Amino acid sequence: MTAPVPWTFRRLYTLLDAAVDPGTWWPADTDFEIGIGAILTQNTAWVNVEQAISKLRRADLLNPTGIAATALDELKSLIRPAGFMNAKATYLKNYTTWYLANHAVAEQLATKPLRDNLLAVGGVGPETADVLLLYVYHRPVFIWDTYARRMLSTAGYSLPKGYETTRRHLATAERQAKFTTTEQQQFHGLIVEAGKQATAAGGWEAYWQWLMQYRHDT
């Protein structure tokens, strides 16, 4: 069972906001830590990222000067719980170099050139760039991750494959919602939590039926 179209982005936001508690998202103490988490969470579960971040925190390395000064092999060892440690250690070094050179002036850039600038950093793909835009630089961008694409497919949208193609395909529909940055952050947290609940429920089809019943009952 899929939802009848139209389920606008604004209606989806309202639906999830009434039924789901997103908790704190993105969990971090500093802008730099958000970036570290965004890179470490690539292709792994957040629980693994938390372990790696805890090790970096105990080593007093959740800061750009600390990461920049740390030997690559030591960094690999510290972030091992997040998986793909060889690649991610290099990505963290790349991001740290960019951050030290650009963070102070990044707020002055318009969103598109800032996104392009981030995408030029080795290890920062479209999803990671958008997370940085949303949570570090407070730009009202939507995160078109797997959680979101599964939700949108169940909500009646026909989606192409991949992050960037989906972003381009549904950009107009998303812009019509006119989300603020705070709402985009909230929506992302809601979608992540709903995605976890959907997995526990046996998939988005079953979870959507629960959402419809919850909406009816309330």
Side-chain angles (χ1 to χ4, degrees):
M1 175 183 177
T2 56
V5 177
W7 269 89
T8 65
F9 279 69
R10 176 61 67 178
R11 288 182 68 207
L12 286 167
Y13 174 88
T14 301
L15 175 68
L16 294 187
D17 194 38
V20 177
D21 179 4
T24 300
W25 203 257
W26 194 279
D29 294 330
T30 66
D31 287 343
F32 184 71
E33 185 180 337
I34 291 171
I36 295 300
I39 289 169
L40 292 179
T41 200
Q42 295 172 4
N43 301 305
T44 195
W46 185 256
V47 64
N48 300 326
V49 176
E50 289 178 322
Q51 294 177 41
I53 286 178
S54 292
K55 294 184 74 170
L56 290 171
R57 181 175 285 111
R58 288 195 296 271
D60 195 26
L61 292 179
L62 279 179
N63 58 82
T65 54
I67 295 289
T70 300
L72 193 62
D73 285 344
E74 181 181 353
L75 192 56
K76 291 176 184 178
S77 178
L78 289 168
I79 66 170
R80 181 185 296 272
F84 304 97
M85 61 182 185
N86 292 332
K88 288 182 180 179
T90 299
Y91 296 167
L92 291 183
K93 286 282 192 178
N94 293 341
Y95 174 68
T96 298
T97 298
W98 181 91
Y99 188 95
L100 287 167
N102 296 278
H103 178 65
V105 298
E107 287 285 2
Q108 301 171 26
L109 295 177
T111 298
K112 187 182 185 306
L114 178 55
R115 189 175 196 266
D116 291 342
N117 199 311
L118 287 165
L119 288 171
V121 179
V124 175
E127 182 177 334
T128 302
D130 286 342
V131 167
L132 295 171
L133 286 171
L134 178 59
Y135 290 100
V136 176
Y137 300 108
H138 307 288
R139 310 302 171 91
V141 299
F142 186 83
I143 308 300
W144 303 91
D145 59 12
T146 300
Y147 285 125
R149 297 199 302 275
R150 287 173 179 166
M151 176 197 70
L152 291 167
S153 179
T154 307
Y157 288 92
S158 177
L159 302 183
K161 292 182 179 181
Y163 189 99
E164 281 289 77
T165 50
T166 301
R167 184 178 75 90
R168 291 191 294 268
H169 183 65
L170 293 182
T172 298
E174 186 274 324
R175 281 197 299 268
Q176 289 172 347
K178 298 181 179 179
F179 291 123
T180 65
T181 298
T182 299
E183 287 175 330
Q184 290 282 28
Q185 292 172 347
Q186 175 80 352
F187 201 10
H188 179 235
L190 290 167
I191 292 169
V192 170
E193 181 58 32
K196 294 176 182 177
Q197 294 181 13
T199 298
W204 259 101
E205 297 292 334
Y207 188 66
W208 186 266
Q209 293 182 45
W210 177 83
L211 284 172
M212 293 303 97
Q213 187 62 48
Y214 181 90
R215 175 171 170 264
H216 179 268
D217 291 344
T218 57

